Amino acid sequence: MTQHTPGPWTVDVEDECRVIDVQDCTVARTDYVEIEEERDWQVANAALIAAAPAMLEALLDITRWVDPDLD
């Protein structure tokens, strides 16, 4: 399996549809739309994507706690 870009990831303060890594490289971006309701969804999606590395680490911590032999 290919490795993902290491976290942390954040939402770019200048472009809230762009998710970046610590080197300011784009990890992902959601569509920019003019419709306000859909724009809110895209911003929320970017925040969810940005949280992915932290969520993965939390999942791995839970997995290790449940079964330490899985590491």
Side-chain angles (χ1 to χ4, degrees):
M1 180 165 97
T2 305
Q3 292 292 318
H4 65 276
T5 303
W9 298 349
T10 57
V11 174
D12 187 343
V13 295
E14 295 177 12
D15 178 356
E16 55 191 0
C17 288
R18 179 177 175 236
V19 178
I20 57 174
D21 66 9
V22 294
Q23 297 176 341
D24 197 35
C25 293
T26 301
V27 173
R29 72 176 294 104
T30 58
D31 290 336
Y32 178 86
V33 292
E34 294 292 333
I35 301 167
E36 187 173 338
E37 182 179 88
E38 290 185 21
R39 172 92 175 147
D40 291 344
W41 293 340
Q42 298 306 329
V43 170
N45 289 341
L48 182 60
I49 293 166
M55 290 189 299
L56 174 60
E57 192 56 40
L59 178 61
L60 293 173
D61 287 346
I62 291 168
T63 302
R64 289 182 202 112
W65 181 75
V66 171
D67 188 351
D69 294 331
L70 289 177
D71 211 10

